[in-house]
Amino acid sequence: INLDTGQRLAQFKQITAQNTRRRSYIRTINLTIELDPYSTKARAEFETSKEHHRNNKVFVTTIQSLFSILEPWPETESGICLSIQAQSPSDIITPQRSKEARRDPITDLRHRRFERSYLQFSEVYLEGLPAVRAITTLSLGHVGVKRLVLPASCALIASKLPRLQRVDLSLSDSEKRDKALRKQNRNGKSIIN
């Protein structure tokens, strides 16, 4: 099952609540959290703290929604593989955008726009996050231009999956330009509340 919009998540909730037998057919859930789009002008600027806070809120709310849907699901022997990624529709680099960025790199930072904006799941939200026993494999992180997730946040999310047997994380700790950010990420300090 691919859940790539809020609308698809709502449909998923409705379909699996109406017919619980359908749950037994699901082995993989690919959740792509749709972050807020940004303007063409904003492509030339790093993500602001306001945008980052808003994206964190969408990230947390979507994960809470999915876990609430999956909480009552029964354990199955094989379990379910959950993949979580996040991306804004504006992050997608079309051939036209790529061509424009090569011509004038100052007007489009491309993936560098959000390279220092790690998505975060704070401990504050952990109490409201239900445990999900149906998930046995978690894949979390970025592929291509998907957004980075703070490593400590990955651990917090995984802590709510008591039957977890396998974890695949795509983490980045190569921030060389911003040593304070690198130290913050290594120490697991969350900056959202």
Side-chain angles (χ1 to χ4, degrees):
I1 298 288
N2 293 317
L3 305 174
D4 52 7
T5 64
Q7 182 182 2
R8 290 272 299 150
L9 187 59
Q11 290 170 343
F12 177 71
K13 177 180 181 178
Q14 183 181 15
I15 290 168
T16 57
Q18 288 174 351
N19 185 346
T20 57
R21 194 182 83 177
R22 290 183 177 187
R23 297 174 183 175
S24 64
Y25 299 114
I26 297 172
R27 294 286 165 254
T28 304
I29 299 172
N30 297 313
L31 175 67
T32 300
I33 299 170
E34 186 178 23
L35 304 175
D36 290 339
Y38 47 89
S39 69
T40 303
K41 182 182 175 189
R43 291 177 184 171
E45 304 162 356
F46 288 107
E47 188 174 77
T48 66
S49 61
K50 187 177 178 180
E51 289 173 313
H52 187 223
H53 183 74
R54 203 169 49 243
N55 285 333
N56 281 332
K57 189 171 183 175
V58 170
F59 181 71
V60 168
T61 303
T62 305
I63 291 174
Q64 287 174 328
S65 297
L66 179 64
F67 277 43
S68 294
I69 293 168
L70 298 175
E71 178 187 19
W73 287 34
E75 297 178 21
T76 60
E77 190 176 323
S78 59
I80 295 172
C81 174
L82 173 63
S83 171
I84 301 174
Q85 298 181 4
Q87 182 177 19
S88 165
S90 305
D91 294 344
I92 298 168
I93 310 244
T94 63
Q96 177 64 29
R97 180 176 171 189
S98 184
K99 187 177 178 182
E100 290 170 4
R102 278 195 304 273
R103 246 189 324 219
D104 187 7
I106 295 171
T107 62
D108 195 337
L109 295 172
R110 299 168 73 164
H111 67 277
R112 288 187 18 248
R113 179 178 197 278
F114 50 83
E115 72 182 356
R116 294 182 237 160
S117 301
Y118 290 72
L119 293 169
Q120 301 168 21
F121 194 99
S122 171
E123 286 184 57
V124 173
Y125 302 109
L126 203 56
E127 191 175 311
L129 189 66
V132 177
R133 302 192 59 77
I135 303 294
T136 55
T137 302
L138 174 66
S139 175
L140 207 154
H142 72 95
V143 175
V145 295
K146 305 286 193 287
R147 302 295 182 103
L148 294 168
V149 178
L150 191 70
S153 297
C154 297
L156 290 174
I157 294 166
S159 74
K160 288 301 196 166
L161 304 171
R163 289 186 59 227
L164 199 59
Q165 298 169 6
R166 181 175 174 191
V167 180
D168 291 319
L169 303 176
S170 181
L171 306 173
S172 176
D173 187 19
S174 60
E175 182 56 59
K176 294 177 181 151
R177 290 176 290 232
D178 190 340
K179 300 224 186 266
L181 175 64
R182 185 174 189 179
K183 183 177 180 181
Q184 172 188 305
N185 288 341
R186 284 189 171 190
N187 292 334
K189 301 289 185 205
S190 179
I191 58 172
I192 63 169
N193 54 12

